[in-house]
Amino acid sequence: SRSHLVLTVYVDGTNKATGIKTIGKMNLVDLAGSERLSKSMATGDRLKEAQAINKSLSALGNVIAGLAQKNSHIPYRDSKLTTVLQDSLSGDSKTLMFVNIRPSGEHQSETICSLNFALRVRSVELGQAKKHIEGADRRSSPSPSIGSDDGADGSRKTPTPLSRKK
């Protein structure tokens, strides 16, 4: 069965010096590829599955277009996929996308569609990600740099390199 896969990882950490708990969420998403129904000659359940995949990818495309155009209404509720990914696509998160393509000529049209979608996604600016602190206003403080060390009074210190534990 072809479908999208969403793996959600929740992470929390506590600053030992201040006791402040920071929480985070990461969605790892594997999108099923769109399918040209005329080429696939799918019937029955496979046809319904392909139509559902195409519908959710279209809804994701509409969300991306709405974000790129900075529309006041973003249609997150148009599919289960976009509803689940709403907080990952909103203004207080970081998003990274990989596009897998096939180099063979017989898949050229799908490759071009995938690359055009990636160009649309690239044009979206979500804004600065926010640091989520448990029990505090979740949108109040900026996200730290990787490996940074915040002072106990909330002041920013120079980022430090990440070290490996031996």
Side-chain angles (χ1 to χ4, degrees):
S1 173
R2 296 185 34 200
S3 60
H4 305 305
L5 172 71
V6 179
L7 173 67
T8 303
V9 179
Y10 294 92
V11 180
D12 62 58
T14 304
N15 182 322
K16 291 181 181 179
T18 64
I20 295 174
K21 186 174 183 178
T22 304
I23 57 175
K25 174 182 172 183
M26 178 173 53
N27 287 314
L28 302 171
V29 182
D30 182 9
L31 297 174
S34 65
E35 198 168 293
R36 302 269 185 226
L37 298 178
S38 60
K39 282 187 176 182
S40 71
M41 295 188 212
T43 59
D45 288 342
R46 182 145 170 91
L47 174 65
K48 289 179 184 176
E49 184 179 64
Q51 288 171 329
I53 289 169
N54 289 347
K55 183 179 178 185
S56 64
L57 290 172
S58 178
L60 180 59
N62 292 339
V63 166
I64 296 298
L67 290 168
Q69 296 166 4
K70 301 189 186 310
N71 291 348
S72 60
H73 171 72
I74 307 297
Y76 291 112
R77 293 185 181 175
D78 285 359
S79 80
K80 289 179 185 178
L81 175 67
T82 54
T83 300
V84 168
L85 297 179
Q86 181 174 354
D87 59 349
S88 295
L89 297 170
S90 64
D92 70 341
S93 61
K94 292 183 181 183
T95 303
L96 176 65
M97 182 176 130
F98 293 93
V99 177
N100 296 314
I101 56 173
R102 290 187 177 195
S104 67
E106 71 180 285
H107 301 288
Q108 182 179 3
S109 63
E110 287 84 3
T111 296
I112 291 171
C113 285
S114 295
L115 292 173
N116 284 333
F117 182 73
L119 282 174
R120 288 185 5 207
V121 170
R122 184 178 182 203
S123 69
V124 175
E125 293 183 21
L126 296 176
Q128 184 175 358
K130 308 291 188 262
K131 185 175 184 180
H132 294 260
I133 300 173
E134 192 171 271
D137 178 11
R138 296 177 60 116
R139 300 185 184 271
S140 63
S141 57
S143 176
S145 301
I146 292 176
S148 71
D149 184 23
D150 291 345
D153 61 352
S155 64
R156 298 289 305 230
K157 293 183 179 177
T158 307
T160 56
L162 296 176
S163 60
R164 295 180 187 211
K165 291 185 178 180
K166 293 182 181 180

